Amino acid sequence: MKYIEEKDIMLNHQITAIGKALALKFAQEGANIAFTDLAINEDAQQTEKEIAALGVKVKAYASNAADFAQTEQVVAAIKEEFGSIDVLVNNAGITKDGLMLRMTEQQWDAVINVNLKSAFNFIHAVVPIMMRQRKGSIINMASVVGVHGNAGQSNYAASKAGMIALAKSVAQEMGPKGIRANAIAPGFIITAMTDQLSDDVKKAWAEKIPLRRGGVPEDIANVATFLASDMSSYVSGQVIQVDGGMNM
């Protein structure tokens, strides 16, 4: 049984391991996929081909998620092409880590604009469409550091905490219109970036996690599929930590 078949899903994201896992999982479930990135490069084109091979409609769009006007334009184009937008996933994100005393204004602004302002931009553009449909699911990709903070990542943690609060606020505002909003807070997820860490660092991480392992992008995609589907029709305003029990 497929749980999100024939839904039209828009992913505001960069082609990262988690973003690609989300797109492929949704497509395997029968959903049509529109995704955005700053540029439609070779990675984006390859992802588009892999999704298309699963027999669903897919199109990649070049857009700067942190730009309000560009976001309005790309959402209008997606609505025109797909006819509806049933699910929005906000997954655009960058890091520019540094201790507070050394963090520059540019580091702060860049992370807040890409991670948090982009989510506002897309929600602002998509909500009128979902209101007319009287249904919709919005998923903000947050982080456990948005729940608990993290030294050296005040900008990133603030942006992810903002995405959690944004989801909860939208859930309260839009619930009467049939629109749900939730956040996913991944923990230590094994990707190409974390593979660059030393074995000692990865072992230390694993020892802090009750399940004694890092997660994989598919773990995040499975939870996102639940939130995108009607199985979660009575779930809204929640933050789901996908972290193996690391932060209870």
Side-chain angles (χ1 to χ4, degrees):
M1 180 181 293
K2 294 183 177 180
Y3 296 102
I4 53 176
E5 195 168 11
E6 297 182 355
K7 286 185 182 289
D8 295 318
I9 296 181
M10 183 172 66
L11 292 100
N12 149 36
H13 73 95
Q14 299 155 307
I15 301 301
T16 60
I18 291 177
K20 186 171 183 177
L22 290 170
L24 290 173
K25 178 66 176 178
F26 290 152
Q28 288 165 4
E29 289 284 315
N32 299 316
I33 308 294
F35 68 89
T36 71
D37 205 342
L38 275 173
I40 305 307
N41 55 24
E42 191 173 318
D43 287 342
Q45 291 172 346
Q46 179 59 32
T47 298
E48 194 175 29
K49 289 178 183 178
E50 292 179 38
I51 294 170
L54 295 170
V56 300
K57 183 174 181 176
V58 58
K59 188 169 182 178
Y61 294 81
S63 176
N64 179 0
D67 185 290
F68 186 87
Q70 283 191 38
T71 300
E72 295 280 330
Q73 291 168 6
V74 77
V75 168
I78 291 169
K79 174 63 168 62
E80 179 71 21
E81 177 69 27
F82 285 78
S84 67
I85 298 174
D86 302 304
V87 180
L88 165 67
V89 181
N90 287 309
N91 187 54
I94 60 170
T95 59
K96 290 185 178 293
D97 297 346
L99 295 174
M100 176 56 72
L101 289 174
R102 299 173 183 170
M103 184 171 290
T104 65
E105 181 183 12
Q106 289 73 26
Q107 286 176 303
W108 176 271
D109 287 347
V111 171
I112 295 299
N113 283 338
V114 173
N115 297 8
L116 182 56
K117 186 172 185 285
S118 70
F120 161 75
N121 290 344
F122 271 88
I123 292 172
H124 188 274
V126 165
V127 156
I129 297 169
M130 291 183 171
M131 286 176 65
R132 288 192 291 272
Q133 297 171 173
R134 299 294 298 182
K135 64 177 182 178
S137 176
I138 296 168
I139 304 168
N140 282 354
M141 202 60 59
S143 168
V144 291
V145 305
V147 180
H148 302 281
N150 195 37
Q153 286 194 308
S154 59
N155 51 0
Y156 184 75
S159 72
K160 295 302 185 178
M163 290 188 77
I164 291 170
L166 178 60
K168 288 178 176 288
S169 298
V170 170
Q172 292 183 42
E173 288 184 23
M174 294 293 111
K177 304 297 183 182
I179 301 169
R180 300 181 292 111
N182 294 283
I184 297 174
F188 185 74
I189 306 300
I190 298 169
T191 63
M193 183 172 64
T194 58
D195 280 344
Q196 297 175 16
L197 300 173
S198 69
D199 290 340
D200 287 342
V201 170
K202 286 187 281 190
K203 182 180 178 181
W205 267 104
E207 289 174 351
K208 298 177 183 177
I209 300 170
L211 290 182
R212 294 296 188 267
R213 66 172 180 87
V216 294
E218 289 71 23
D219 292 321
I220 309 302
N222 289 336
V223 175
T225 299
F226 167 71
L227 291 176
S229 76
D230 293 338
M231 290 187 295
S232 60
S233 62
Y234 203 54
V235 179
S236 193
Q238 303 304 305
V239 51
I240 301 177
Q241 295 186 170
V242 186
D243 62 3
M246 181 173 65
N247 291 297
M248 296 189 192

PDB file of all heavy atoms in Angstrom, residues 10-47:
ATOM      1  N   MET A  10       6.287  19.550  -2.821  1.00  0.00           N
ATOM      2  CA  MET A  10       7.333  20.507  -3.150  1.00  0.00           C
ATOM      3  C   MET A  10       8.395  20.492  -2.062  1.00  0.00           C
ATOM      4  O   MET A  10       8.099  20.637  -0.877  1.00  0.00           O
ATOM      5  CB  MET A  10       6.764  21.919  -3.271  1.00  0.00           C
ATOM      6  CG  MET A  10       7.825  22.938  -3.677  1.00  0.00           C
ATOM      7  SD  MET A  10       7.127  24.555  -4.055  1.00  0.00           S
ATOM      8  CE  MET A  10       6.523  25.032  -2.460  1.00  0.00           C
ATOM      9  N   LEU A  11       9.640  20.295  -2.477  1.00  0.00           N
ATOM     10  CA  LEU A  11      10.756  20.314  -1.549  1.00  0.00           C
ATOM     11  C   LEU A  11      11.608  21.540  -1.819  1.00  0.00           C
ATOM     12  O   LEU A  11      12.151  21.717  -2.915  1.00  0.00           O
ATOM     13  CB  LEU A  11      11.619  19.055  -1.696  1.00  0.00           C
ATOM     14  CG  LEU A  11      10.970  17.745  -1.259  1.00  0.00           C
ATOM     15  CD1 LEU A  11      10.464  16.975  -2.468  1.00  0.00           C
ATOM     16  CD2 LEU A  11      11.966  16.900  -0.485  1.00  0.00           C
ATOM     17  N   ASN A  12      11.713  22.407  -0.812  1.00  0.00           N
ATOM     18  CA  ASN A  12      12.607  23.550  -0.846  1.00  0.00           C
ATOM     19  C   ASN A  12      13.898  23.069  -0.208  1.00  0.00           C
ATOM     20  O   ASN A  12      14.006  22.950   1.004  1.00  0.00           O
ATOM     21  CB  ASN A  12      11.976  24.707  -0.056  1.00  0.00           C
ATOM     22  CG  ASN A  12      12.995  25.615   0.600  1.00  0.00           C
ATOM     23  OD1 ASN A  12      14.051  25.872   0.057  1.00  0.00           O
ATOM     24  ND2 ASN A  12      12.674  26.085   1.801  1.00  0.00           N
ATOM     25  N   HIS A  13      14.881  22.711  -1.032  1.00  0.00           N
ATOM     26  CA  HIS A  13      16.088  22.121  -0.443  1.00  0.00           C
ATOM     27  C   HIS A  13      17.262  22.178  -1.397  1.00  0.00           C
ATOM     28  O   HIS A  13      17.132  22.483  -2.569  1.00  0.00           O
ATOM     29  CB  HIS A  13      15.837  20.663  -0.054  1.00  0.00           C
ATOM     30  CG  HIS A  13      15.759  19.707  -1.212  1.00  0.00           C
ATOM     31  ND1 HIS A  13      16.834  18.994  -1.651  1.00  0.00           N
ATOM     32  CD2 HIS A  13      14.730  19.356  -2.007  1.00  0.00           C
ATOM     33  CE1 HIS A  13      16.466  18.221  -2.677  1.00  0.00           C
ATOM     34  NE2 HIS A  13      15.207  18.429  -2.921  1.00  0.00           N
ATOM     35  N   GLN A  14      18.420  21.885  -0.837  1.00  0.00           N
ATOM     36  CA  GLN A  14      19.599  21.661  -1.643  1.00  0.00           C
ATOM     37  C   GLN A  14      19.761  20.153  -1.808  1.00  0.00           C
ATOM     38  O   GLN A  14      19.242  19.378  -1.019  1.00  0.00           O
ATOM     39  CB  GLN A  14      20.833  22.252  -0.939  1.00  0.00           C
ATOM     40  CG  GLN A  14      20.712  23.765  -0.727  1.00  0.00           C
ATOM     41  CD  GLN A  14      21.549  24.237   0.433  1.00  0.00           C
ATOM     42  OE1 GLN A  14      21.453  23.712   1.536  1.00  0.00           O
ATOM     43  NE2 GLN A  14      22.367  25.230   0.191  1.00  0.00           N
ATOM     44  N   ILE A  15      20.497  19.722  -2.839  1.00  0.00           N
ATOM     45  CA  ILE A  15      20.649  18.299  -3.087  1.00  0.00           C
ATOM     46  C   ILE A  15      21.657  17.731  -2.087  1.00  0.00           C
ATOM     47  O   ILE A  15      22.844  17.591  -2.349  1.00  0.00           O
ATOM     48  CB  ILE A  15      21.092  18.027  -4.533  1.00  0.00           C
ATOM     49  CG1 ILE A  15      20.065  18.592  -5.488  1.00  0.00           C
ATOM     50  CG2 ILE A  15      21.241  16.534  -4.783  1.00  0.00           C
ATOM     51  CD1 ILE A  15      18.668  18.013  -5.316  1.00  0.00           C
ATOM     52  N   THR A  16      21.161  17.478  -0.897  1.00  0.00           N
ATOM     53  CA  THR A  16      21.954  16.848   0.148  1.00  0.00           C
ATOM     54  C   THR A  16      21.506  15.403   0.281  1.00  0.00           C
ATOM     55  O   THR A  16      20.534  14.972  -0.346  1.00  0.00           O
ATOM     56  CB  THR A  16      21.729  17.565   1.486  1.00  0.00           C
ATOM     57  OG1 THR A  16      20.325  17.467   1.820  1.00  0.00           O
ATOM     58  CG2 THR A  16      22.121  19.033   1.397  1.00  0.00           C
ATOM     59  N   ALA A  17      22.203  14.644   1.121  1.00  0.00           N
ATOM     60  CA  ALA A  17      21.829  13.237   1.326  1.00  0.00           C
ATOM     61  C   ALA A  17      20.403  13.127   1.852  1.00  0.00           C
ATOM     62  O   ALA A  17      19.625  12.291   1.390  1.00  0.00           O
ATOM     63  CB  ALA A  17      22.813  12.577   2.284  1.00  0.00           C
ATOM     64  N   ILE A  18      20.055  13.969   2.824  1.00  0.00           N
ATOM     65  CA  ILE A  18      18.709  13.907   3.391  1.00  0.00           C
ATOM     66  C   ILE A  18      17.679  14.382   2.373  1.00  0.00           C
ATOM     67  O   ILE A  18      16.634  13.766   2.188  1.00  0.00           O
ATOM     68  CB  ILE A  18      18.627  14.732   4.690  1.00  0.00           C
ATOM     69  CG1 ILE A  18      19.450  14.051   5.799  1.00  0.00           C
ATOM     70  CG2 ILE A  18      17.171  14.911   5.129  1.00  0.00           C
ATOM     71  CD1 ILE A  18      19.507  14.819   7.100  1.00  0.00           C
ATOM     72  N   GLY A  19      17.958  15.479   1.679  1.00  0.00           N
ATOM     73  CA  GLY A  19      17.020  15.982   0.695  1.00  0.00           C
ATOM     74  C   GLY A  19      16.748  14.980  -0.407  1.00  0.00           C
ATOM     75  O   GLY A  19      15.593  14.778  -0.818  1.00  0.00           O
ATOM     76  N   LYS A  20      17.786  14.321  -0.881  1.00  0.00           N
ATOM     77  CA  LYS A  20      17.605  13.321  -1.937  1.00  0.00           C
ATOM     78  C   LYS A  20      16.826  12.123  -1.425  1.00  0.00           C
ATOM     79  O   LYS A  20      15.958  11.584  -2.122  1.00  0.00           O
ATOM     80  CB  LYS A  20      18.958  12.877  -2.480  1.00  0.00           C
ATOM     81  CG  LYS A  20      18.857  11.947  -3.673  1.00  0.00           C
ATOM     82  CD  LYS A  20      20.208  11.711  -4.323  1.00  0.00           C
ATOM     83  CE  LYS A  20      20.077  10.836  -5.553  1.00  0.00           C
ATOM     84  NZ  LYS A  20      21.372  10.656  -6.255  1.00  0.00           N
ATOM     85  N   ALA A  21      17.127  11.692  -0.194  1.00  0.00           N
ATOM     86  CA  ALA A  21      16.398  10.561   0.394  1.00  0.00           C
ATOM     87  C   ALA A  21      14.915  10.881   0.514  1.00  0.00           C
ATOM     88  O   ALA A  21      14.057  10.020   0.254  1.00  0.00           O
ATOM     89  CB  ALA A  21      16.983  10.207   1.759  1.00  0.00           C
ATOM     90  N   LEU A  22      14.591  12.107   0.900  1.00  0.00           N
ATOM     91  CA  LEU A  22      13.192  12.526   0.999  1.00  0.00           C
ATOM     92  C   LEU A  22      12.506  12.444  -0.369  1.00  0.00           C
ATOM     93  O   LEU A  22      11.420  11.866  -0.500  1.00  0.00           O
ATOM     94  CB  LEU A  22      13.112  13.964   1.513  1.00  0.00           C
ATOM     95  CG  LEU A  22      13.495  14.242   2.958  1.00  0.00           C
ATOM     96  CD1 LEU A  22      13.577  15.741   3.184  1.00  0.00           C
ATOM     97  CD2 LEU A  22      12.525  13.616   3.922  1.00  0.00           C
ATOM     98  N   ALA A  23      13.150  13.017  -1.378  1.00  0.00           N
ATOM     99  CA  ALA A  23      12.550  13.049  -2.710  1.00  0.00           C
ATOM    100  C   ALA A  23      12.319  11.641  -3.248  1.00  0.00           C
ATOM    101  O   ALA A  23      11.250  11.338  -3.796  1.00  0.00           O
ATOM    102  CB  ALA A  23      13.447  13.846  -3.655  1.00  0.00           C
ATOM    103  N   LEU A  24      13.297  10.772  -3.087  1.00  0.00           N
ATOM    104  CA  LEU A  24      13.173   9.410  -3.612  1.00  0.00           C
ATOM    105  C   LEU A  24      12.125   8.608  -2.848  1.00  0.00           C
ATOM    106  O   LEU A  24      11.348   7.848  -3.449  1.00  0.00           O
ATOM    107  CB  LEU A  24      14.531   8.701  -3.555  1.00  0.00           C
ATOM    108  CG  LEU A  24      15.580   9.218  -4.541  1.00  0.00           C
ATOM    109  CD1 LEU A  24      16.926   8.561  -4.291  1.00  0.00           C
ATOM    110  CD2 LEU A  24      15.140   8.982  -5.981  1.00  0.00           C
ATOM    111  N   LYS A  25      12.075   8.779  -1.539  1.00  0.00           N
ATOM    112  CA  LYS A  25      11.081   8.057  -0.743  1.00  0.00           C
ATOM    113  C   LYS A  25       9.670   8.495  -1.119  1.00  0.00           C
ATOM    114  O   LYS A  25       8.773   7.660  -1.297  1.00  0.00           O
ATOM    115  CB  LYS A  25      11.328   8.305   0.749  1.00  0.00           C
ATOM    116  CG  LYS A  25      10.311   7.642   1.679  1.00  0.00           C
ATOM    117  CD  LYS A  25      10.397   6.124   1.619  1.00  0.00           C
ATOM    118  CE  LYS A  25       9.453   5.488   2.615  1.00  0.00           C
ATOM    119  NZ  LYS A  25       9.479   4.017   2.549  1.00  0.00           N
ATOM    120  N   PHE A  26       9.453   9.794  -1.247  1.00  0.00           N
ATOM    121  CA  PHE A  26       8.141  10.289  -1.649  1.00  0.00           C
ATOM    122  C   PHE A  26       7.753   9.741  -3.026  1.00  0.00           C
ATOM    123  O   PHE A  26       6.608   9.353  -3.250  1.00  0.00           O
ATOM    124  CB  PHE A  26       8.133  11.816  -1.688  1.00  0.00           C
ATOM    125  CG  PHE A  26       8.205  12.480  -0.342  1.00  0.00           C
ATOM    126  CD1 PHE A  26       8.765  13.744  -0.207  1.00  0.00           C
ATOM    127  CD2 PHE A  26       7.719  11.861   0.798  1.00  0.00           C
ATOM    128  CE1 PHE A  26       8.818  14.374   1.024  1.00  0.00           C
ATOM    129  CE2 PHE A  26       7.770  12.477   2.039  1.00  0.00           C
ATOM    130  CZ  PHE A  26       8.325  13.738   2.148  1.00  0.00           C
ATOM    131  N   ALA A  27       8.725   9.732  -3.945  1.00  0.00           N
ATOM    132  CA  ALA A  27       8.447   9.235  -5.290  1.00  0.00           C
ATOM    133  C   ALA A  27       8.121   7.744  -5.271  1.00  0.00           C
ATOM    134  O   ALA A  27       7.234   7.283  -5.993  1.00  0.00           O
ATOM    135  CB  ALA A  27       9.636   9.510  -6.202  1.00  0.00           C
ATOM    136  N   GLN A  28       8.830   6.988  -4.465  1.00  0.00           N
ATOM    137  CA  GLN A  28       8.538   5.552  -4.333  1.00  0.00           C
ATOM    138  C   GLN A  28       7.123   5.319  -3.824  1.00  0.00           C
ATOM    139  O   GLN A  28       6.495   4.301  -4.136  1.00  0.00           O
ATOM    140  CB  GLN A  28       9.556   4.907  -3.384  1.00  0.00           C
ATOM    141  CG  GLN A  28      10.952   4.781  -3.966  1.00  0.00           C
ATOM    142  CD  GLN A  28      12.009   4.485  -2.909  1.00  0.00           C
ATOM    143  OE1 GLN A  28      11.690   4.303  -1.724  1.00  0.00           O
ATOM    144  NE2 GLN A  28      13.259   4.459  -3.314  1.00  0.00           N
ATOM    145  N   GLU A  29       6.621   6.287  -3.057  1.00  0.00           N
ATOM    146  CA  GLU A  29       5.264   6.200  -2.534  1.00  0.00           C
ATOM    147  C   GLU A  29       4.219   6.691  -3.537  1.00  0.00           C
ATOM    148  O   GLU A  29       3.030   6.704  -3.241  1.00  0.00           O
ATOM    149  CB  GLU A  29       5.160   7.014  -1.244  1.00  0.00           C
ATOM    150  CG  GLU A  29       5.890   6.397  -0.064  1.00  0.00           C
ATOM    151  CD  GLU A  29       5.136   5.214   0.516  1.00  0.00           C
ATOM    152  OE1 GLU A  29       3.914   5.307   0.700  1.00  0.00           O
ATOM    153  OE2 GLU A  29       5.782   4.177   0.762  1.00  0.00           O
ATOM    154  N   GLY A  30       4.678   7.120  -4.704  1.00  0.00           N
ATOM    155  CA  GLY A  30       3.748   7.518  -5.751  1.00  0.00           C
ATOM    156  C   GLY A  30       3.458   8.998  -5.831  1.00  0.00           C
ATOM    157  O   GLY A  30       2.555   9.411  -6.577  1.00  0.00           O
ATOM    158  N   ALA A  31       4.200   9.828  -5.103  1.00  0.00           N
ATOM    159  CA  ALA A  31       3.948  11.274  -5.127  1.00  0.00           C
ATOM    160  C   ALA A  31       4.693  11.932  -6.285  1.00  0.00           C
ATOM    161  O   ALA A  31       5.784  11.500  -6.673  1.00  0.00           O
ATOM    162  CB  ALA A  31       4.388  11.896  -3.810  1.00  0.00           C
ATOM    163  N   ASN A  32       4.106  12.984  -6.826  1.00  0.00           N
ATOM    164  CA  ASN A  32       4.785  13.824  -7.813  1.00  0.00           C
ATOM    165  C   ASN A  32       5.676  14.809  -7.066  1.00  0.00           C
ATOM    166  O   ASN A  32       5.302  15.317  -6.001  1.00  0.00           O
ATOM    167  CB  ASN A  32       3.768  14.571  -8.671  1.00  0.00           C
ATOM    168  CG  ASN A  32       2.875  13.626  -9.439  1.00  0.00           C
ATOM    169  OD1 ASN A  32       3.344  12.645 -10.012  1.00  0.00           O
ATOM    170  ND2 ASN A  32       1.584  13.908  -9.448  1.00  0.00           N
ATOM    171  N   ILE A  33       6.843  15.108  -7.640  1.00  0.00           N
ATOM    172  CA  ILE A  33       7.852  15.876  -6.920  1.00  0.00           C
ATOM    173  C   ILE A  33       8.282  17.110  -7.689  1.00  0.00           C
ATOM    174  O   ILE A  33       8.696  17.031  -8.848  1.00  0.00           O
ATOM    175  CB  ILE A  33       9.114  15.013  -6.653  1.00  0.00           C
ATOM    176  CG1 ILE A  33       8.751  13.672  -5.985  1.00  0.00           C
ATOM    177  CG2 ILE A  33      10.129  15.797  -5.827  1.00  0.00           C
ATOM    178  CD1 ILE A  33       8.192  13.793  -4.598  1.00  0.00           C
ATOM    179  N   ALA A  34       8.227  18.256  -7.021  1.00  0.00           N
ATOM    180  CA  ALA A  34       8.880  19.475  -7.491  1.00  0.00           C
ATOM    181  C   ALA A  34       9.924  19.838  -6.452  1.00  0.00           C
ATOM    182  O   ALA A  34       9.617  19.855  -5.257  1.00  0.00           O
ATOM    183  CB  ALA A  34       7.876  20.611  -7.656  1.00  0.00           C
ATOM    184  N   PHE A  35      11.151  20.076  -6.872  1.00  0.00           N
ATOM    185  CA  PHE A  35      12.159  20.482  -5.891  1.00  0.00           C
ATOM    186  C   PHE A  35      12.961  21.660  -6.410  1.00  0.00           C
ATOM    187  O   PHE A  35      13.086  21.868  -7.616  1.00  0.00           O
ATOM    188  CB  PHE A  35      13.066  19.320  -5.487  1.00  0.00           C
ATOM    189  CG  PHE A  35      13.990  18.796  -6.562  1.00  0.00           C
ATOM    190  CD1 PHE A  35      15.256  19.332  -6.746  1.00  0.00           C
ATOM    191  CD2 PHE A  35      13.610  17.730  -7.363  1.00  0.00           C
ATOM    192  CE1 PHE A  35      16.110  18.844  -7.711  1.00  0.00           C
ATOM    193  CE2 PHE A  35      14.450  17.221  -8.332  1.00  0.00           C
ATOM    194  CZ  PHE A  35      15.713  17.777  -8.515  1.00  0.00           C
ATOM    195  N   THR A  36      13.472  22.449  -5.468  1.00  0.00           N
ATOM    196  CA  THR A  36      14.210  23.654  -5.823  1.00  0.00           C
ATOM    197  C   THR A  36      15.637  23.573  -5.313  1.00  0.00           C
ATOM    198  O   THR A  36      15.934  22.880  -4.341  1.00  0.00           O
ATOM    199  CB  THR A  36      13.543  24.911  -5.227  1.00  0.00           C
ATOM    200  OG1 THR A  36      13.736  24.925  -3.803  1.00  0.00           O
ATOM    201  CG2 THR A  36      12.057  24.952  -5.547  1.00  0.00           C
ATOM    202  N   ASP A  37      16.497  24.286  -5.991  1.00  0.00           N
ATOM    203  CA  ASP A  37      17.883  24.455  -5.551  1.00  0.00           C
ATOM    204  C   ASP A  37      18.383  25.765  -6.162  1.00  0.00           C
ATOM    205  O   ASP A  37      17.737  26.329  -7.054  1.00  0.00           O
ATOM    206  CB  ASP A  37      18.747  23.276  -5.987  1.00  0.00           C
ATOM    207  CG  ASP A  37      19.973  23.093  -5.090  1.00  0.00           C
ATOM    208  OD1 ASP A  37      20.326  24.056  -4.376  1.00  0.00           O
ATOM    209  OD2 ASP A  37      20.565  22.004  -5.100  1.00  0.00           O
ATOM    210  N   LEU A  38      19.518  26.234  -5.680  1.00  0.00           N
ATOM    211  CA  LEU A  38      20.059  27.484  -6.205  1.00  0.00           C
ATOM    212  C   LEU A  38      20.302  27.412  -7.702  1.00  0.00           C
ATOM    213  O   LEU A  38      20.066  28.361  -8.439  1.00  0.00           O
ATOM    214  CB  LEU A  38      21.371  27.829  -5.484  1.00  0.00           C
ATOM    215  CG  LEU A  38      21.255  28.585  -4.168  1.00  0.00           C
ATOM    216  CD1 LEU A  38      22.620  28.679  -3.508  1.00  0.00           C
ATOM    217  CD2 LEU A  38      20.659  29.966  -4.371  1.00  0.00           C
ATOM    218  N   ALA A  39      20.788  26.258  -8.163  1.00  0.00           N
ATOM    219  CA  ALA A  39      21.041  26.045  -9.579  1.00  0.00           C
ATOM    220  C   ALA A  39      20.748  24.589  -9.912  1.00  0.00           C
ATOM    221  O   ALA A  39      20.921  23.712  -9.066  1.00  0.00           O
ATOM    222  CB  ALA A  39      22.484  26.398  -9.932  1.00  0.00           C
ATOM    223  N   ILE A  40      20.307  24.341 -11.118  1.00  0.00           N
ATOM    224  CA  ILE A  40      20.047  22.964 -11.531  1.00  0.00           C
ATOM    225  C   ILE A  40      21.342  22.426 -12.146  1.00  0.00           C
ATOM    226  O   ILE A  40      21.577  22.502 -13.357  1.00  0.00           O
ATOM    227  CB  ILE A  40      18.872  22.898 -12.527  1.00  0.00           C
ATOM    228  CG1 ILE A  40      17.649  23.577 -11.905  1.00  0.00           C
ATOM    229  CG2 ILE A  40      18.560  21.448 -12.868  1.00  0.00           C
ATOM    230  CD1 ILE A  40      17.274  23.047 -10.536  1.00  0.00           C
ATOM    231  N   ASN A  41      22.187  21.910 -11.260  1.00  0.00           N
ATOM    232  CA  ASN A  41      23.487  21.402 -11.675  1.00  0.00           C
ATOM    233  C   ASN A  41      23.404  19.906 -11.990  1.00  0.00           C
ATOM    234  O   ASN A  41      22.322  19.319 -12.066  1.00  0.00           O
ATOM    235  CB  ASN A  41      24.537  21.681 -10.599  1.00  0.00           C
ATOM    236  CG  ASN A  41      24.123  21.129  -9.241  1.00  0.00           C
ATOM    237  OD1 ASN A  41      23.315  20.198  -9.162  1.00  0.00           O
ATOM    238  ND2 ASN A  41      24.660  21.695  -8.176  1.00  0.00           N
ATOM    239  N   GLU A  42      24.560  19.296 -12.147  1.00  0.00           N
ATOM    240  CA  GLU A  42      24.597  17.873 -12.502  1.00  0.00           C
ATOM    241  C   GLU A  42      23.936  17.000 -11.444  1.00  0.00           C
ATOM    242  O   GLU A  42      23.228  16.038 -11.768  1.00  0.00           O
ATOM    243  CB  GLU A  42      26.056  17.451 -12.706  1.00  0.00           C
ATOM    244  CG  GLU A  42      26.217  16.086 -13.337  1.00  0.00           C
ATOM    245  CD  GLU A  42      27.666  15.773 -13.690  1.00  0.00           C
ATOM    246  OE1 GLU A  42      28.353  16.663 -14.203  1.00  0.00           O
ATOM    247  OE2 GLU A  42      28.092  14.634 -13.435  1.00  0.00           O
ATOM    248  N   ASP A  43      24.163  17.316 -10.161  1.00  0.00           N
ATOM    249  CA  ASP A  43      23.541  16.532  -9.084  1.00  0.00           C
ATOM    250  C   ASP A  43      22.018  16.632  -9.140  1.00  0.00           C
ATOM    251  O   ASP A  43      21.312  15.633  -8.961  1.00  0.00           O
ATOM    252  CB  ASP A  43      24.044  17.025  -7.718  1.00  0.00           C
ATOM    253  CG  ASP A  43      25.478  16.604  -7.444  1.00  0.00           C
ATOM    254  OD1 ASP A  43      25.963  15.672  -8.128  1.00  0.00           O
ATOM    255  OD2 ASP A  43      26.106  17.200  -6.559  1.00  0.00           O
ATOM    256  N   ALA A  44      21.524  17.837  -9.355  1.00  0.00           N
ATOM    257  CA  ALA A  44      20.072  18.029  -9.429  1.00  0.00           C
ATOM    258  C   ALA A  44      19.485  17.291 -10.624  1.00  0.00           C
ATOM    259  O   ALA A  44      18.419  16.672 -10.529  1.00  0.00           O
ATOM    260  CB  ALA A  44      19.744  19.519  -9.511  1.00  0.00           C
ATOM    261  N   GLN A  45      20.185  17.345 -11.752  1.00  0.00           N
ATOM    262  CA  GLN A  45      19.703  16.653 -12.944  1.00  0.00           C
ATOM    263  C   GLN A  45      19.687  15.143 -12.741  1.00  0.00           C
ATOM    264  O   GLN A  45      18.755  14.460 -13.175  1.00  0.00           O
ATOM    265  CB  GLN A  45      20.581  17.017 -14.141  1.00  0.00           C
ATOM    266  CG  GLN A  45      20.421  18.459 -14.591  1.00  0.00           C
ATOM    267  CD  GLN A  45      21.436  18.873 -15.642  1.00  0.00           C
ATOM    268  OE1 GLN A  45      22.431  18.177 -15.861  1.00  0.00           O
ATOM    269  NE2 GLN A  45      21.201  19.994 -16.299  1.00  0.00           N
ATOM    270  N   GLN A  46      20.711  14.618 -12.054  1.00  0.00           N
ATOM    271  CA  GLN A  46      20.749  13.187 -11.778  1.00  0.00           C
ATOM    272  C   GLN A  46      19.612  12.777 -10.846  1.00  0.00           C
ATOM    273  O   GLN A  46      18.968  11.745 -11.052  1.00  0.00           O
ATOM    274  CB  GLN A  46      22.097  12.808 -11.144  1.00  0.00           C
ATOM    275  CG  GLN A  46      22.252  11.343 -10.777  1.00  0.00           C
ATOM    276  CD  GLN A  46      22.109  10.413 -11.964  1.00  0.00           C
ATOM    277  OE1 GLN A  46      22.466  10.773 -13.091  1.00  0.00           O
ATOM    278  NE2 GLN A  46      21.579   9.221 -11.727  1.00  0.00           N
ATOM    279  N   THR A  47      19.349  13.605  -9.835  1.00  0.00           N
ATOM    280  CA  THR A  47      18.240  13.326  -8.925  1.00  0.00           C
ATOM    281  C   THR A  47      16.916  13.335  -9.677  1.00  0.00           C
ATOM    282  O   THR A  47      16.050  12.478  -9.462  1.00  0.00           O
ATOM    283  CB  THR A  47      18.205  14.366  -7.786  1.00  0.00           C
ATOM    284  OG1 THR A  47      19.413  14.276  -7.027  1.00  0.00           O
ATOM    285  CG2 THR A  47      17.014  14.126  -6.863  1.00  0.00           C
TER     286      THR A  47
END
